[in-house]
Amino acid sequence: MAVQGAAAWAAPTVEECRVIPDREKRLDCYDQIPVATPVNPAQAATDRQAEQERNFGLAESAKPQEERAEAAEVTAKIVSVRDGRSGKIIELDNGHEWQITSNGNLQRWLKPDQVATIKRGMLSGYRLTIEGVTGSETLRRLQ
């Protein structure tokens, strides 16, 4: 019987408490409203940044709807560089694979263990720069 009574009881709403004229009863009403678990803002921001980096460079249709925004840039170490059908392919230590789509001189200097930074281009596409090396290349994300 007590379980049925507890199940039938619903916590008051702010609107219900607000209209109670007696101060003490109004305060008691507010005290019965459940409090949500606080979210750690620093952890939420870190989680969001990590998700945006995982999605960086993917086609919008390949991203979950709630994760359509992406990070401003991704920085990671190059794991491997290999020739592809349409240009060199670089694999990064974060699991990304990118294919170079331009014919610049930077791709001659690519090698494993270099630190690569990829940013969204001014008009479209993505730009690759390598720490300590002059120049940039245009590329697209494979996976």
Side-chain angles (χ1 to χ4, degrees), residues 3-95:
V3 174
Q4 286 178 335
W9 179 82
T13 65
V14 172
E15 290 77 20
E16 292 170 340
C17 295
R18 187 176 290 148
V19 296
I20 298 174
D22 181 78
R23 223 175 152 186
E24 291 296 318
K25 289 181 182 177
R26 186 172 54 248
L27 181 58
D28 287 340
C29 181
Y30 282 128
D31 286 342
Q32 294 175 26
I33 297 173
V35 178
T37 306
V39 175
N40 178 341
Q43 184 61 46
T46 301
D47 293 347
R48 178 79 176 132
Q49 179 67 27
E51 186 64 29
Q52 287 179 345
E53 287 182 9
R54 278 191 292 279
N55 291 333
F56 186 82
L58 287 176
E60 289 298 309
S61 61
K63 298 175 190 176
Q65 182 67 36
E66 65 277 3
E67 297 299 334
R68 295 286 167 101
E70 64 179 34
E73 66 180 46
V74 170
T75 300
K77 278 192 173 185
I78 296 176
V79 174
S80 69
V81 179
R82 66 183 189 275
D83 290 327
R85 284 184 170 177
S86 302
K88 290 204 181 282
I89 296 173
I90 61 169
E91 181 183 347
L92 304 176
D93 66 355
N94 63 5

